[in-house]
Amino acid sequence: DGGITQSPKYLFRKEGQNVTLSCEQNLNHDAMYWYRQDPGQGLRLIYYSQIVNDFQKGDIAEGYSVSREKKESFPLTVTSAQKNPTAFYLCASSIGLYNEQFFGPGTRLTVL
Amino acid sequence: GQQVMQIPQYQHVQEGEDFTTYCNSSTTLSNIQWYKQRPGGHPVFLIQLVKSGEVKKQKRLTFQFGEAKKNSSLHITATQTTDVGTYFCAVGGDYGGSQGNLIFGKGTKLSVKP
């Protein structure tokens, strides 16, 4: 089955802890993205990557970090510097920028 | 930078009524995409419009791209409860765009009363 997976579906962390969200795709897509979704806010871009070993900041990159060591994988770390990390995080991929994006099922992060 | 405004933010309809959401940009768009997100789910691609004045249909859904390529609409005829969800437009960075990526509108949340 081709697709994009995110794990875990729900994640709870204590304030001050870093946490890494997983995103894997087997669609052979070059571009991958991380979005944050808050109620009534739509999708806000955190980071995106067009190619392995390269990534760019989006609109709300502060307090987040990413890596792209493999084409299939684009993990997102939510650091303790992110002031309000509780949100729904969506990973997506596409053949290239501006193409149709395929989304994973999302990870709902709650920081206690 | 490029901005996209989507209206209305919410729409409540009776089953069988029509529904329209609009997406407006301050700049000329190279293309526009529409996505649907069911409650508790993730966005799913519906369609992409590229040409000025383009109209595309998918069963009860009609998508239009404005002649000036600055606005678009999604119209649903005779809504059903399966249409419930949030509809997003997404625009490609225009010529010399700021992000080199899609910019999503805030979405229109549709609820349908049976």
Side-chain angles (χ1 to χ4, degrees):
Chain A
D1 262 351
I4 180 164
T5 58
Q6 292 183 243
S7 61
K9 190 169 183 179
Y10 298 95
L11 191 54
F12 296 88
R13 279 293 182 271
K14 290 184 179 179
E15 196 172 338
Q17 289 181 333
N18 291 355
V19 60
T20 297
L21 310 184
S22 165
C23 177
E24 303 278 331
Q25 55 99 359
N26 61 4
L27 300 167
N28 200 31
H29 286 170
D30 285 316
M32 296 187 75
Y33 317 82
W34 275 104
Y35 295 93
R36 171 181 171 138
Q37 187 172 37
D38 297 283
Q41 291 294 318
L43 300 170
R44 291 188 290 170
L45 182 65
I46 305 173
Y47 269 98
Y48 68 99
S49 168
Q50 288 182 261
I51 198 167
V52 174
N53 292 324
D54 184 56
F55 47 83
Q56 307 295 329
K57 291 182 179 180
D59 298 314
I60 54 165
E62 186 175 349
Y64 300 98
S65 66
V66 293
S67 63
R68 186 87 188 273
E69 297 176 2
K70 298 187 298 181
K71 188 175 185 177
E72 310 80 47
S73 179
F74 192 41
L76 172 75
T77 297
V78 185
T79 75
S80 56
Q82 168 50 232
K83 294 189 189 329
N84 185 19
T86 294
F88 188 46
Y89 290 88
L90 286 158
C91 180
S93 71
S94 64
I95 293 172
L97 293 185
Y98 310 137
N99 292 108
E100 167 190 355
Q101 293 190 9
F102 293 79
F103 285 81
T107 293
R108 197 166 295 277
L109 172 65
T110 302
V111 175
L112 307 169
Chain B
Q2 186 172 72
Q3 293 185 2
V4 56
M5 297 295 295
Q6 196 171 349
I7 55 171
Q9 190 174 1
Y10 301 97
Q11 186 78 55
H12 309 283
V13 300
Q14 189 78 34
E15 189 172 19
E17 291 181 340
D18 292 356
F19 159 77
T20 305
T21 174
Y22 301 89
C23 191
N24 300 303
S25 170
S26 55
T27 57
T28 303
L29 305 170
S30 55
N31 67 80
I32 190 163
Q33 298 177 16
W34 286 94
Y35 291 77
K36 175 184 178 181
Q37 184 176 21
R38 293 182 188 275
H42 57 275
V44 174
F45 174 82
L46 294 175
I47 209 157
Q48 175 168 288
L49 304 173
V50 179
K51 299 178 184 176
S52 166
E54 190 169 14
V55 178
K56 287 189 177 180
K57 293 192 176 185
Q58 290 179 351
K59 297 183 180 178
R60 294 179 294 104
L61 277 60
T62 301
F63 303 84
Q64 284 191 287
F65 203 7
E67 293 288 345
K69 299 182 75 174
K70 288 187 175 183
N71 55 72
S72 179
S73 64
L74 158 58
H75 179 82
I76 302 178
T77 303
T79 54
Q80 299 174 359
T81 54
T82 52
D83 296 323
V84 164
T86 302
Y87 293 84
F88 294 97
C89 63
V91 301
D94 64 349
Y95 314 106
S98 57
Q99 286 284 349
N101 184 51
L102 293 181
I103 298 170
F104 282 80
K106 292 192 175 182
T108 296
K109 188 172 182 178
L110 172 65
S111 61
V112 179
K113 188 175 179 182

